[in-house]
Amino acid sequence: MSQRPTPQPAKESTPHLPRLLLLRVFVRTFWLQVAWNPTGMQNLGMVHALWPALEALYPDPAERRQAVERHVTAFNTHPYLAAAIIGGVLHHEARIARGQEPPERATAFKAFLMGPLAALGDGFFWCSLRPAFGALAVLLTFAIGLWSVPVALLAYNAIHLWVRARLFLAGLREGDAVLDEIARWRFSERRLPLRCLSAACLGASGMLLCLCAPKIGARLSGITASSAAAFTRLDWSAVWPWLLGALILQVTVVFLERRHLNPYVLLLGAALLAFGAGALG
Amino acid sequence: MSPPAALLCTALLAGFWAIERKAFLQAMLSRPVVVGTCLGLVWGMPWLGLAIGSVVELFFLGAVNIGASLPGNELWACLTALSFAAGLSTSSGDVGAPLTGPATLVLALAVGMPMSLVGRHFDEVQECLNVRIGERAAADLMHGKLDTAVRLGIVGFRLSATLAVAASLLFWGVGWGAGKLVASLDLALSLSAQTLAALERGFGFAALGMGLAATAVALATLNDARRSLLIALLAALICLALWSVLNLNVAGSGQGSAP
């Protein structure tokens, strides 16, 4: 198991690489998973991202080759948080190129951080933030229609790109001390509110789907829905059978999904059942 | 947009989305709700695109590619459903009630959703091919060909992009063929008005059922399902209360209209 590397003093160890080159490396971090494979995982993407910097740091082909070999070993982490590792690796490579630290420091840094950052990123981005914005985009559809998509995209990517850029710069400037910057983001604590937001958006979407069904049907088919007015007035005699039916359907689907019934079967089954109810009723 | 231009746009976008989904950026641009809306706009049916995209988005909301787990490919589901719907709408034209709006949505989703499993299979094939690319890159490194090794990495997702383009074109063709077939049957004339109305009502209910089932699948796959269900129920009740209050106020001021 890897040992935590000893943090280096930040100011005196900041690498001096041209800004344009750093920008090239940062943009290449977007391609980290370009050749993802089960054996090396993100290793080729890692080498691809670091390549411009390694070319600048190691003019001697033999030294450059050694540097590339250090990074072609198996590597896997969360693609967004990988920016922190790539920034930190650049920090270490710059010091290695100047002879200020041994080459093992860069590999130890990667090995130490990739596992924890993978878990942190998967839990926050994939399991919390992305579902929250997906659910929010669907809910916003009822309020602002087609604009919900650009709004949700802008909000998500403002966070996503900001985190990537901040962590890349933090890794570059602070090396091992990037851990403090990551801790400041409190990714673990922010997962729960996002999951609650997802659930609330889904609940509200389900309700609005029932209440707006005649209007949605009208908008999709261009046919005027006669029952739309009853829903607008919230005429209970017209609305309650819909709400009860929807509740029964949703509770049944959740129950069966939790019992590991195939969700595709559930979706098509629900459609068939509803078709029958609509056509016969 | 003319059908050939729309097809070209669909193919280009499908290739881009297939790469963006995992190989590049991952900025949610290839999520179903975005794909559905964009393709809907391209084919002149934005609301249908948004509706199909939303259902697929909800269905795959909790599906995450972590470690060795490889969920169904939501992009394939959305691309094939939208392409099918576009083909169907293009060829059926003004065929009549059975193939408009909700019916297209239900048929497109029924065709497209299982395709996510085919997409997943191709994801596995892609990863196996990438192993070979990795081995070749490592061999090049050993021979000092650093540039070649680095460039090999970039070609990693060629197959995904090519297959996504092929699938979208193929399913547009399938939809177009299905539309022509239905048009040749001339359902509007051969079926009674009562049957047509029942079909229309049935498809409307089926579309709603799919939307509700997808929402329920999303809730079930969120972490901590019990708490999620409670919060969702609370949010639904608040929503109903707000709906009631807002619409009563509108009715009271004499400006009642559809929501």
Side-chain angles (χ1 to χ4, degrees):
Chain A
M1 192 173 166
S2 314
Q3 288 187 332
R4 179 176 172 157
T6 319
Q8 297 291 321
K11 282 182 183 171
E12 62 177 326
S13 57
T14 304
H16 301 288
L17 290 165
R19 285 186 180 182
L20 194 63
L21 186 142
L22 292 176
L23 184 66
R24 278 182 68 197
V25 174
F26 177 65
V27 170
R28 281 175 174 230
T29 64
F30 297 159
W31 292 93
L32 185 70
Q33 306 209 101
V34 75
W36 197 97
N37 62 81
T39 50
M41 290 170 274
Q42 297 164 340
N43 61 345
L44 290 179
M46 180 70 157
V47 175
H48 174 242
L50 290 173
W51 180 246
L54 296 181
E55 269 187 319
L57 288 171
Y58 300 101
D60 176 29
E63 284 185 357
R64 196 188 313 151
R65 182 178 159 180
Q66 281 177 353
V68 169
E69 280 173 2
R70 275 200 289 281
H71 299 296
V72 87
T73 50
F75 174 75
N76 198 39
T77 191
H78 190 273
Y80 295 175
L81 299 189
I85 298 183
I86 292 173
V89 165
L90 273 189
H91 173 97
H92 283 293
E93 285 296 346
R95 288 175 58 82
I96 293 165
R98 293 201 297 264
Q100 290 173 333
E101 61 182 44
E104 294 78 32
R105 288 299 303 266
T107 41
F109 174 78
K110 269 195 329 180
F112 174 72
L113 273 185
M114 68 178 181
L117 288 196
L120 207 58
D122 287 341
F124 179 75
F125 287 104
W126 289 172
C127 297
S128 307
L129 190 68
R130 195 170 67 181
F133 277 96
L136 192 65
V138 173
L139 178 63
L140 283 177
T141 301
F142 293 99
I144 54 175
L146 295 172
W147 286 103
S148 66
V149 174
V151 167
L153 269 181
L154 275 176
Y156 180 84
N157 286 308
I159 297 171
H160 148 225
L161 292 172
W162 180 245
V163 168
R164 272 190 164 183
R166 280 292 301 267
L167 290 182
F168 178 74
L169 289 175
L172 188 71
R173 286 188 191 130
E174 296 167 29
D176 298 343
V178 70
L179 283 173
D180 299 331
E181 173 70 15
I182 294 167
R184 270 197 291 277
W185 283 88
R186 294 188 293 135
F187 289 116
S188 299
E189 289 90 334
R190 287 175 173 165
R191 284 184 308 191
L192 184 62
L194 285 170
R195 286 174 185 172
C196 292
L197 175 70
S198 304
C201 288
L202 289 173
S205 296
M207 179 57 76
L208 285 173
L209 193 59
C210 286
L211 293 173
C212 298
K215 189 188 172 191
I216 295 171
R219 189 158 252 174
L220 290 179
S221 58
I223 299 163
T224 309
S226 55
S227 51
F231 279 72
T232 308
R233 290 193 311 271
L234 206 66
D235 181 352
W236 283 106
S237 61
V239 172
W240 80 260
W242 286 73
L243 295 184
L244 187 65
L247 186 68
I248 291 170
L249 181 82
Q250 288 196 301
V251 169
T252 310
V253 170
V254 169
F255 177 78
L256 293 175
E257 220 283 338
R258 299 298 293 175
R259 294 288 176 280
H260 305 293
L261 202 75
N262 190 323
Y264 296 92
V265 174
L266 288 175
L267 187 78
L268 295 178
L272 270 178
L273 206 67
F275 180 86
L280 298 175
Chain B
M1 201 180 281
S2 66
L7 263 180
L8 184 67
C9 268
T10 304
L12 290 174
L13 285 170
F16 168 73
W17 284 322
I19 292 172
E20 198 274 343
R21 180 174 175 265
K22 185 164 179 180
F24 170 68
L25 196 59
Q26 295 184 291
M28 247 177 73
L29 299 175
S30 56
R31 292 299 297 174
V33 70
V34 183
V35 171
T37 308
C38 289
L39 283 188
L41 285 168
V42 165
W43 287 99
M45 44 181 205
W47 291 103
L48 187 62
L50 181 63
I52 290 176
S54 297
V55 173
V56 181
E57 178 73 44
L58 290 173
F59 188 79
F60 287 100
L61 205 67
V64 189
N65 175 200
I66 294 179
S69 81
L70 202 57
N73 188 321
E74 74 288 342
L75 177 63
W76 267 66
C78 195
L79 264 183
T80 51
L82 247 301
S83 300
F84 180 85
L88 197 63
S89 303
T90 308
S91 67
S92 61
D94 55 351
V95 132
L99 278 184
T100 54
T104 311
L105 182 140
V106 172
L107 292 175
L109 284 172
V111 168
M113 290 305 260
M115 286 303 115
S116 68
L117 300 175
V118 177
R120 181 175 69 184
H121 173 70
F122 285 129
D123 285 343
E124 287 166 352
V125 174
Q126 172 75 68
E127 288 183 358
C128 292
L129 283 177
N130 280 356
V131 171
R132 287 191 205 161
I133 288 176
E135 285 165 357
R136 274 179 61 194
D140 283 344
L141 282 173
M142 292 305 112
H143 292 100
K145 296 178 190 169
L146 301 178
D147 293 341
T148 324
V150 169
R151 278 191 201 116
L152 268 175
I154 307 172
V155 302
F157 272 74
R158 271 185 315 193
L159 181 72
S160 291
T162 314
L163 287 173
V165 171
S168 57
L169 296 181
L170 176 71
F171 276 81
W172 184 88
V174 172
W176 191 84
K180 282 286 176 206
L181 183 71
V182 173
S184 69
L185 296 175
D186 212 355
L187 287 177
L189 285 179
S190 56
L191 296 178
S192 67
Q194 202 175 8
T195 315
L196 281 174
L199 272 177
E200 192 186 313
R201 214 170 41 242
F203 278 123
F205 269 66
L208 177 64
M210 277 184 147
L212 289 171
T215 314
V217 168
L219 271 172
T221 49
L222 282 180
N223 285 8
D224 196 354
R226 193 169 294 175
R227 180 167 47 202
S228 299
L229 281 175
L230 278 176
I231 292 171
L233 189 63
L234 194 66
L237 289 174
I238 291 171
C239 192
L240 183 63
L242 279 174
W243 178 278
S244 167
V245 169
L246 289 175
N247 280 293
L248 281 178
N249 284 344
V250 170
S253 62
Q255 296 167 5
S257 60

